[in-house]
Amino acid sequence: MKSKKLLIISFLVLFVSLVSCSDSPSDVGSDLLGIDLINVKKLDSNLDSIKQSSNSVKKIIPLGASPRLLLGKKDDYTAYTLISFTFTLPDSIKRAIKNDSLEVLEAKGEMNIDYFFGDKNAPFDFSIFEIESFWNSASFTADSFAALSYSQTDLSLNKTETDSVFYFTISNNIVKNWLKNEVDTSLARNRGVLLSPKPLSNKIIGFIAFDPDESKDTRINVVVRKPGAYIDTLLAYVLSDVSVVIGNNQIDSNYITIQSSLTYNGFLSFDLSSLSKGTIVNYAQLTLTLDTLKSKLGDNYFNQLNAYIITSTDSLKINESNVYPLKRVGDKFIGDISGMVRYWISNNPNYGILIKAGKEIIGLEKFMIKGSSYPVYSDRPKLEIIYTKRN
Amino acid sequence: MIKKILVLLIASISFINAQSSSAYTRYGIGDLKYSFSTRYQGLGQLGVSLQDKYHISSINPAAWSNFDRTKIEFAMSYNGVIINSSNDKFFSAETEVEGINFGFPISTDLGIGFAAGLVPFSRVSYQSKQNFSSPDSLIYNYDLIFEGKGGLSKIFVGSSVKIPFDWSLGATFDYYFGNFKYLSAISFNNQTNFSSEYNLIYKPTGFGATLGILSPDLTTTFGFDNISNLFFGASVNYFSKLKTDSVVTSISSVLLDTIAFYSDYMTIPTKYNFGLSFILSQRYLFTFDYSLQNFSEFKVFSKSSDNLQNSYKISTGFELQALNELSSKFWERVLWRIGLSFEKTPYKFSGIGINQYSFFGGVSLPINPDNLIDISFQYSKRGTTEKSLLKEDFIRLNLSLVFNELWFLRFDK
C-alpha cells in the first residue's frame, strides 16, 4: 500500500518539477500579437507644435519664515528689515530698571552676513528707525510696508562692515525703553526697529535671521551700569524679524521672470488635448532655458526651480506638497513632471504649471527663463512626454 | 501526511509562472481541450463511442449508461512546448490541474447514470518578450511583453438512460465560465520611466448542453465473427451565447485606470462528435472518431476573426485490453494504448491553416481491481515557420487517478 502511495506522489512531484525547465520568454510569436500591440511614443512640445503659453506673475508673500534677512538697495529693489528684540533679565536688573536706577552705557549690535546681491564691495549703509505701529512677522509683507509707521530719527551710530559681520551701535535711549518694556509693558513701548537702506547703497546684504538653533542670528550687546553698584552686559535677542523687498521688474513677454523674495512666479501652460484617455505616461520631462545674461543672482543661492500643478485658476492656487523640482544643468532647468502630466490626463483640469524659485523666501535671485514666445524656438520651454498607447 | 503533501503539491501548481502554448492561442478561445480522461487522451483524445467500466466520458454522456460503480477521477497534466520561429526557438512548460469528475449509477437496469464535474474546455497560454532600443535618451531600451492566460471551463451535471432497442441517450447541463486575460506591457530598462500595462480581460459566463447517443453492441446486427463491442456514438455540444464582460485597464506603476468596460456576448459554435469502436479478437480495441466545430462562426461582441477557421479532428486509437482473469499478474492487467490524430485547428494566419498531427500513448496501471492510475503521453506537431508563423512541438503527459467504489449503491435484499 505504501509503495502505491509513493508511486502517486512520485508522479506528482515529477509533473511539478518538470516545469522548472522552462526558458525565459523570448520574442518568438510576437509577430502574431499585433492585435494587442502597444507602442512607446514621444510627444515633444517643440517638434509636435503643441500650443503653449507663459507669463510672469507677481505674488507678494510674507518672508517671516526666511532664515535670511535682506537689507540694502540694488537697481529697482529695496530691501528693508524689521526686528524686535527681547532680553532675559535677572531679578536684580529688573528691580534696578523698575527703580529707574539702571543706565545704558552702550548698545552694540552685530549681524552675521551670509549673502550678497550685487557687488560685494559696493557701498552700503542703513538707518535704524523706531517702529511705532504693530507688525507681525508671520503676516507682514511688502504690501503692508506702506502702512508701517516709524519715527524719522535715525538711531544708528558707528557702523562697521567686515567680510562676515556688520557691526552697529544703536541709541541707548531706545534700548533703555526695551528694557523697561521687558519689565513692565506699561513703562515703555517696544515695537522693534526698521532697518532701512540709505540711498547711496548699491547692494543688498543677507543676514542670518532669527533661529532658535542658530547662535549667529542678530544680537545686541548692551552695557548697563547701576551707579555705585555694578556694570553688567546684557544680551538682546531677536524676538521677531522679517524682511520686505519693494520693487518691480520690467516684464518682457519673451521671458518668464522667476524671482525669490520679491516674489515673481512663472506660469506655463501646454495644450495636451492630443493625449487621450487610456494613454499611460511613462515619463515627462520639462526643460526650461535660462538666459544667464539677463538673470541676476546672488553670491550664494539655491540653484533650482520648483514646478507645481495649478489646481484652481483662483489666485493660481497650487498644492504646495506636490513639488516637482527642476534641477540646473548648464543653462537649463530640467525636471521630471510625470506625475503632473498623469494628473492632467486623468480627467483633471489642466490649468497649467506654476514655477517658483527653489527657495522663494530666501535671497533675491531673478531667473530669466526664455518663455513660450521667445524668438528662438528651441529655447522655448520644452515638454517631452514618453507615453504608451494601445492600438 | 500524504494528504498534506498532495495538497501542497497541487497548491504549488497555481504559483508556477510558465506557458503551455504559443501566440496562436490569442485567437478564439485558445487551444481546445477535447477530453478530460487520461484514457481517452491515450486513444487520440476523443473516444465518442466508448463504453467504459472505469472512466467517465466527458464527451458523450450516453456512455454513462453502463456505470456499475461510483467513480471519481482526478487529472493533471504536464505540457511542454518547443516553439520554433524561422530564426529562433523557445521551450516552456506548464503543469495544470485538468479537473475532477465523479459519477455513479442510479439504475444499472435502466442505464441511468449520473455524473458531474469540473473540466477545462479551452486554454490560453502564451508569453512573448521583445527587446527594443531607442536612440532617444528618454526612452532608451525597453521590453515589450505579451502574455495570455486563462481559458474556458465547464461545470456539468448530467445523466444517461437506456432507450428502446438498447440505445443509450445522455445529456448534460453545462455551465461555462472563463477568464481570458491578455496583457501587453512595456518595461523600461532605465530607472526613471514608469512601466505600463494594458490588460484586456474577457469574462464569459453562460450555459450550454451536451446531448449524446450510443448504440447497442452492433456486432450481432452486422454478424462479424471476430469482432465484438461494436459501438457507434455521437454527441453534440451546444453553447448558448455566453454573456461576456470585457474590461480594458491601463496600469502604470502608480495608477490603475479602467479605460473601457463592455458587456456583450461571446458566440461559440456548436461542436459535433462522432465515433465508432470495436474489439477485435477479444483483446484489441480500435476507435475511430471525428469532431468538428465551425470556428469561423465564433464571435466576440459580434465580431468574428479573420484568424479563425472551421476546425475538425480525426483520430484513431488502439488499446490492448487487459486479461480479466483472477490469476492475471500485474502487467497482464495493465491496459496499453496508442492513438493518432490529425487536427485542423481553429487557427489561420495569412491564409495558412494551422494543422496538428499527434501521436498518443498510454497505460492504465491497476492499483487494485477497481482503481487505476492512468498515464498518457502525447507528442504533437503543428504549424509552420513560413510567413513568420510558428511551428510547435508539444509533449504532454497526463496523469489521472481513477477510483471506482461501491458508494451510494443499493443492493437488492
Side-chain angles (χ1 to χ4, degrees), chain B residues 43-87:
Chain B
L43 288 168
Q45 293 187 318
L46 292 173
V48 183
S49 60
L50 286 177
Q51 273 208 323
D52 195 326
K53 184 182 169 187
Y54 293 104
H55 303 85
I56 302 167
S57 170
S58 57
I59 202 163
N60 187 357
W64 306 341
S65 60
N66 73 337
F67 279 1
D68 61 356
R69 296 276 198 286
T70 296
K71 302 160 193 297
I72 299 173
E73 196 168 354
F74 165 82
M76 60 189 295
S77 66
Y78 162 82
N79 305 295
V81 58
I82 300 167
I83 307 169
N84 301 275
S85 67
S86 54
N87 53 12

Side-chain angles (χ1 to χ4, degrees), chain B residues 104-170:
Chain B
F104 55 87
I106 294 173
S107 167
T108 49
D109 294 339
L110 298 173
I112 301 175
F114 172 88
L118 166 63
V119 293
F121 190 82
S122 75
R123 190 77 172 170
V124 174
S125 181
Y126 63 85
Q127 282 182 325
S128 155
K129 186 175 175 182
Q130 282 178 288
N131 307 115
F132 292 91
S133 62
S134 168
D136 192 316
S137 61
L138 294 187
I139 299 175
Y140 192 50
N141 297 336
Y142 65 92
D143 297 326
L144 172 59
I145 299 155
F146 295 109
E147 189 176 309
K149 286 271 175 201
L152 198 62
S153 298
K154 174 170 92 167
I155 294 173
F156 68 90
V157 287
S159 187
S160 64
V161 66
K162 288 272 188 195
I163 57 173
F165 308 107
D166 212 23
W167 284 68
S168 300
L169 192 66

Side-chain angles (χ1 to χ4, degrees), chain B residues 70-349:
Chain B
T70 296
K71 302 160 193 297
I72 299 173
E73 196 168 354
F74 165 82
M76 60 189 295
S77 66
Y78 162 82
N79 305 295
V81 58
I82 300 167
I83 307 169
N84 301 275
S85 67
S86 54
N87 53 12
D88 199 2
K89 72 177 180 180
F90 165 73
F91 171 76
S92 186
E94 194 170 48
T95 301
E96 298 169 29
V97 173
E98 291 286 325
I100 186 164
N101 285 350
F102 82 98
F104 55 87
I106 294 173
S107 167
T108 49
D109 294 339
L110 298 173
I112 301 175
F114 172 88
L118 166 63
V119 293
F121 190 82
S122 75
R123 190 77 172 170
V124 174
S125 181
Y126 63 85
Q127 282 182 325
S128 155
K129 186 175 175 182
Q130 282 178 288
N131 307 115
F132 292 91
S133 62
S134 168
D136 192 316
S137 61
L138 294 187
I139 299 175
Y140 192 50
N141 297 336
Y142 65 92
D143 297 326
L144 172 59
I145 299 155
F146 295 109
E147 189 176 309
K149 286 271 175 201
L152 198 62
S153 298
K154 174 170 92 167
I155 294 173
F156 68 90
V157 287
S159 187
S160 64
V161 66
K162 288 272 188 195
I163 57 173
F165 308 107
D166 212 23
W167 284 68
S168 300
L169 192 66
T172 63
F173 179 70
D174 306 327
Y175 174 71
Y176 291 92
F177 63 99
N179 194 332
F180 297 85
K181 186 177 176 185
Y182 306 110
L183 165 83
S184 311
I186 299 279
S187 174
F188 292 88
N189 293 356
N190 62 20
Q191 298 291 316
T192 52
N193 294 17
F194 286 103
S195 60
S196 42
E197 279 185 33
Y198 286 89
N199 282 298
L200 167 63
I201 299 170
Y202 291 134
K203 290 184 174 176
T205 54
F207 296 97
T210 304
L211 191 65
I213 191 165
L214 191 66
S215 73
D217 185 353
L218 299 173
T219 313
T220 49
T221 309
F222 292 102
F224 297 125
D225 291 337
N226 209 18
I227 289 176
S228 62
N229 295 70
L230 174 62
F231 292 103
F232 166 77
S235 68
V236 57
N237 199 181
Y238 168 77
F239 305 83
S240 69
K241 286 188 173 180
L242 305 185
K243 190 169 187 316
T244 303
D245 292 335
S246 163
V247 186
V248 183
T249 56
S250 68
I251 305 170
S252 71
S253 301
V254 287
L255 281 177
L256 166 66
D257 189 17
T258 300
I259 300 169
F261 178 86
Y262 306 103
S263 194
D264 205 330
Y265 292 94
M266 179 183 282
T267 307
I268 299 177
T270 304
K271 187 177 185 179
Y272 301 93
N273 307 297
F274 306 95
L276 182 74
S277 63
F278 60 86
I279 294 175
L280 184 67
S281 304
Q282 304 297 318
R283 286 283 319 260
Y284 311 113
L285 170 71
F286 291 89
T287 64
F288 302 93
D289 295 283
Y290 178 68
S291 176
L292 77 155
Q293 198 167 13
N294 290 342
F295 258 93
S296 56
E297 295 167 10
F298 173 84
K299 286 178 185 169
V300 180
F301 296 0
S302 307
K303 286 183 187 167
S304 53
S305 170
D306 293 339
N307 297 116
L308 293 176
Q309 63 178 351
N310 294 340
S311 68
Y312 65 84
K313 182 182 181 83
I314 301 167
S315 73
T316 181
F318 166 77
E319 184 177 71
L320 181 63
Q321 300 281 285
L323 289 175
N324 289 320
E325 293 167 5
L326 288 173
S327 59
S328 300
K329 292 176 183 172
F330 175 81
W331 290 108
E332 291 170 336
R333 287 186 284 121
V334 170
L335 285 83
W336 299 89
R337 57 188 75 95
I338 58 169
L340 294 169
S341 78
F342 167 77
E343 182 181 353
K344 184 183 172 192
T345 72
Y347 311 123
K348 180 181 73 176
F349 298 91

Side-chain angles (χ1 to χ4, degrees), chain A residues 318-337:
Chain A
I318 58 169
N319 180 354
E320 295 271 3
S321 59
N322 275 348
V323 186
Y324 297 88
L326 309 175
K327 302 273 176 65
R328 177 86 178 263
V329 180
D331 65 342
K332 312 281 186 194
F333 283 98
I334 300 172
D336 176 356
I337 61 161

Side-chain angles (χ1 to χ4, degrees), chain A residues 1-2 4-9 11-42 277-283 285 336 338-339 342-343 345-346 384-386 388-390, chain B residues 2 6 9 13 16 18 23-24 26-27 76-78 83 88 90-95 126-130 136 138-139 142 144 146 182 184-186 188 192-198 200 250-252 254-255 257-259 367 373 375 388-390 397 399:
Chain A
M1 188 63 184
K2 264 190 173 176
K4 283 167 188 165
K5 285 177 179 172
L6 199 64
L7 183 69
I8 294 168
I9 291 168
F11 274 119
L12 290 172
V13 170
L14 177 71
F15 267 49
V16 173
S17 58
L18 279 172
V19 176
S20 60
C21 304
S22 297
D23 292 339
S24 297
S26 75
D27 62 354
V28 172
S30 299
D31 294 342
L32 300 174
L33 296 168
I35 191 171
D36 291 324
L37 189 63
I38 56 176
N39 291 312
V40 178
K41 296 182 178 178
K42 183 177 180 182
K277 183 173 166 60
T279 299
I280 294 177
V281 174
N282 304 108
Y283 184 68
Q285 180 174 285
D336 176 356
S338 307
R342 281 190 201 104
Y343 173 84
I345 65 164
S346 302
E384 295 165 282
I385 301 173
I386 308 301
T388 315
K389 196 161 173 50
R390 197 169 195 271
Chain B
I2 288 169
L6 282 173
L9 278 168
I13 291 164
I16 293 164
Y24 290 147
R26 171 61 183 85
Y27 298 89
M76 60 189 295
S77 66
Y78 162 82
I83 307 169
D88 199 2
F90 165 73
F91 171 76
S92 186
E94 194 170 48
T95 301
Y126 63 85
Q127 282 182 325
S128 155
K129 186 175 175 182
Q130 282 178 288
D136 192 316
L138 294 187
I139 299 175
Y142 65 92
L144 172 59
F146 295 109
Y182 306 110
S184 311
I186 299 279
F188 292 88
T192 52
N193 294 17
F194 286 103
S195 60
S196 42
E197 279 185 33
Y198 286 89
L200 167 63
S250 68
I251 305 170
S252 71
V254 287
L255 281 177
D257 189 17
T258 300
I259 300 169
I367 302 172
I373 295 176
I375 300 165
S388 301
L389 298 182
L390 304 173
L397 292 173
L399 172 74

